[in-house]
Amino acid sequence: MRLFKIYVISVLLLGCTHKNNKTNTMPPVTIEKKQFGITKEGQNVDQYLLKNKSGMQISIITYGGIITSWTAADKNGDYKDIVLGYNTLEEYETETPYFGALIGRYGNRIAKGRFSLNDTTYTLAVNNGLNHLHGGLKGFDKVIWEAESMTSDTEASLVLKYLSKDMEEGYPGNLATTVTYTLNDNDELRVKYEASTDKTTIVNLTQHSYFNLTADFNKTVLDHELTINADAFIPVDETLIPLGDLSEVSQTPFDFRASKRIGQQIDEENTQLINGLGYDHCWALNDQDKGMRFAASAYEPVSGRLLEVFTDEPGIQFYSGNFLDGSLPSKSGGVYEQRTGFCLETQHYPDSPNQEDFPSVVLHPNEKYESQTTFKLSVK
């Protein structure tokens, strides 16, 4: 009888333990929606907050598909915001160097705002010195995207859609665009780009988040250790338009094949660094025939945060925040000074429509544009 009582008590205790474990199970991946603001034209802008089980949170708004905040753990397990941006819609509408935005129809520059397709020359806005930049005066970073959210046990996805009408910002064709942000439980954000057109056009989409892995936007990113999987980069002229060829990175400040500090050679006497006021160049990634592969990484040794970027794109634009000048307010107080954020923009090469030897950015009717990039955060 005594043995029976002990057995019953043990079973009850095990049952209680199992019940408590179930109660303490982490919540599933979630998406929360709320209003972020109303544009000057009276359009409503929503904010979606993607959360995973480990604690990462990514805030995305329907204006420009902008990532307004992105928390990542440091070596102590503390989650803090690691991307530059603003707290209000009004600030994004007033002035922004594309903080966190989706870029289209064409990421990067097109020389003198002109390109030709099928013997027709198209004229675009000149909004960056002599050149066209990031889709024009009202690119994809300044439009309202239709949004739909979905979740599973391990992923949260925000699907954004926008129809860019024929000749919008000077581009031919009605371009139906879908961008899907997916956060999973491995602290990875996958960005999938899709598009189709009813008229031959050009497309080059990218994501323009500025990172500072210290999570202190008063600090520069010069002590971040950067790796880029590229044997060559694209030299540019003084207006940042490609000269038309690739240049080996070996024995230049552009060699990041082995990890080194962003600031290690950024102020050297070098024509290319002078042209960009630092790094603002596209690297020709290795293994372009292999599809999705490692492109770049950034490591911040004090926090221990490591950002890795994987893509199927041929290039990546590394921008070291050279044109931040202290004139824009920081969401954490103060202002964004020079080089307090960096960008790793996966893309086709700049000015490709005017460069015959560069990978093509032409999209024909009955074709589908597809591209994918994954940002993975971890600690080492």
Side-chain angles (χ1 to χ4, degrees):
M1 180 64 69
R2 185 182 177 193
L3 290 174
F4 177 76
K5 288 181 178 179
I6 292 174
Y7 173 76
V8 171
I9 292 171
S10 298
V11 171
L12 290 172
L13 288 173
L14 286 171
C16 290
T17 302
H18 174 72
K19 185 177 181 180
N20 287 337
N21 284 341
K22 189 173 182 179
T23 301
N24 292 330
T25 299
M26 292 293 290
V29 179
T30 62
I31 297 181
E32 299 175 4
K33 175 185 175 182
K34 66 178 182 180
Q35 187 182 54
F36 187 74
I38 299 176
T39 67
K40 297 173 183 176
E41 290 79 22
Q43 295 174 290
N44 183 66
V45 175
D46 292 321
Q47 178 187 60
Y48 290 82
L49 185 63
L50 286 62
K51 301 180 181 179
N52 69 8
K53 295 178 183 178
S54 61
M56 178 170 285
Q57 299 186 17
I58 302 177
S59 170
I60 303 167
I61 59 175
T62 51
Y63 178 82
I66 293 170
I67 295 176
T68 61
S69 66
W70 185 341
T71 67
D74 65 10
K75 59 188 177 184
N76 298 316
D78 294 331
Y79 279 80
K80 293 184 178 179
D81 192 3
I82 58 166
V83 292
L84 280 61
Y86 296 128
N87 292 316
T88 68
L89 177 60
E90 182 181 5
E91 290 171 305
Y92 283 109
E93 285 191 283
T94 301
E95 184 177 3
T96 173
Y98 306 97
F99 283 145
L102 293 177
I103 304 299
R105 292 188 190 188
Y106 197 92
N108 220 311
R109 294 169 177 85
I110 295 177
K112 299 180 181 178
R114 290 198 298 269
F115 68 95
S116 296
L117 282 175
N118 300 329
D119 298 323
T120 299
T121 298
Y122 294 93
T123 301
L124 311 172
V126 174
N127 61 328
N128 183 248
L130 300 175
N131 306 311
H132 176 82
L133 177 67
H134 290 338
L137 300 177
K138 190 176 181 180
F140 287 3
D141 60 297
K142 298 179 181 69
V143 301
I144 306 296
W145 294 71
E146 295 181 5
E148 179 183 356
S149 62
M150 60 186 87
T151 60
S152 69
D153 289 340
T154 58
E155 294 185 339
S157 294
L158 180 66
V159 182
L160 299 176
K161 295 185 178 182
Y162 178 68
L163 176 61
S164 177
K165 295 184 179 180
D166 184 32
M167 298 311 296
E168 180 175 294
E169 290 296 320
Y171 292 94
N174 291 295
L175 188 77
T177 307
T178 301
V179 179
T180 305
Y181 287 111
T182 300
L183 173 65
N184 64 27
D185 277 334
N186 296 320
D187 284 353
E188 296 173 335
L189 179 68
R190 184 170 67 251
V191 188
K192 183 178 181 180
Y193 307 90
E194 300 170 276
S196 60
T197 182
D198 60 1
K199 186 186 296 185
T200 300
T201 190
I202 60 171
V203 186
N204 186 28
L205 307 180
T206 191
Q207 217 292 328
H208 207 293
S209 284
Y210 287 67
F211 295 94
N212 186 323
L213 300 181
T214 69
D216 182 348
F217 304 134
N218 292 314
K219 294 181 178 178
T220 74
V221 296
L222 296 179
D223 287 333
H224 287 56
E225 298 172 10
L226 181 69
T227 304
I228 301 178
N229 181 28
D231 296 330
F233 78 105
I234 301 173
V236 295
D237 64 19
E238 62 276 6
T239 72
L240 302 181
I241 292 296
L243 298 174
D245 58 356
L246 305 184
S247 181
E248 296 293 321
V249 300
S250 180
Q251 298 183 348
T252 76
F254 293 83
D255 191 352
F256 287 94
R257 291 174 296 179
S259 179
K260 71 179 181 184
R261 290 176 54 253
I262 290 174
Q264 184 170 322
Q265 295 179 279
I266 199 170
D267 291 322
E268 285 190 4
E269 287 292 325
N270 177 283
T271 300
Q272 287 301 306
L273 292 175
I274 292 171
N275 287 347
L277 295 182
Y279 298 108
D280 191 5
H281 298 73
C282 188
W283 272 252
L285 293 170
N286 295 336
D287 304 318
Q288 295 186 9
D289 59 339
K290 294 184 178 179
M292 199 75 173
R293 75 271 188 219
F294 171 74
S297 67
Y299 171 63
E300 202 287 298
V302 177
S303 68
R305 291 186 179 94
L306 172 67
L307 169 67
E308 296 172 282
V309 183
F310 303 84
T311 191
D312 56 11
E313 285 284 344
I316 190 167
Q317 184 88 4
F318 166 50
Y319 171 52
S320 51
N322 314 307
F323 297 102
L324 298 174
D325 59 4
S327 63
L328 301 177
S330 168
K331 60 183 172 183
S332 60
V335 294
Y336 291 120
E337 298 287 357
Q338 187 185 47
R339 298 171 181 165
T340 51
F342 68 90
C343 302
L344 291 169
E345 308 157 54
T346 56
Q347 58 187 246
H348 273 57
Y349 303 161
D351 198 36
S352 289
N354 299 310
Q355 305 280 350
E356 293 184 0
D357 294 332
F358 286 2
S360 175
V361 293
V362 176
L363 181 67
H364 299 282
N366 302 318
E367 293 180 343
K368 187 175 182 180
Y369 172 94
E370 291 184 294
S371 176
Q372 186 167 296
T373 293
T374 296
F375 300 90
K376 178 177 177 59
L377 272 301
S378 61
V379 173
K380 75 170 186 177

